[in-house]
């Protein structure tokens, strides 16, 4: 994934309340932003996973009959 896509996506997820972010300092003394799923993010992940499974199962059914 390109940086130009990743950071805007992370920002949108943070604005939606799906992830929380905080700045920290690594062992190498570098600043890093750490992201963590929120409770709302876990619910959204479960919903998106279900949607993906439904879609991919549908595609698999079509391909079996092709």
């Amino acid at each position: 994934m390109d940086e130009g896509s990743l950071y805007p996506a992370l920002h949108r997820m943070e604005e939606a309340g799906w992830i929380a972010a905080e700045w920290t300092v690594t062992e190498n003394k570098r600043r890093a932003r750490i992201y963590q799923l929120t409770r709302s993010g876990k619910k959204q992940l479960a919903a998106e996973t279900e949607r993906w499974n439904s879609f991919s199962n549908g595609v698999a059914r079509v391909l079996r009959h092709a």
Side-chain angles (χ1 to χ4, degrees), residues 23-66:
W23 286 101
T24 188
V25 178
T26 67
E27 293 175 4
N28 299 336
K29 308 292 184 215
R30 296 183 67 189
R31 287 184 62 201
R33 191 146 176 139
I34 304 299
Y35 295 90
Q36 185 172 359
L37 278 175
T38 62
R39 183 176 296 157
S40 175
K42 290 176 184 177
K43 287 180 185 177
Q44 185 65 28
L45 176 59
E48 295 295 339
T49 299
E50 179 60 35
R51 195 171 86 171
W52 173 256
N53 287 337
S54 177
F55 172 78
S56 62
N57 288 336
V59 170
R61 282 192 304 274
V62 168
L63 291 176
R64 275 193 298 261
H65 294 89

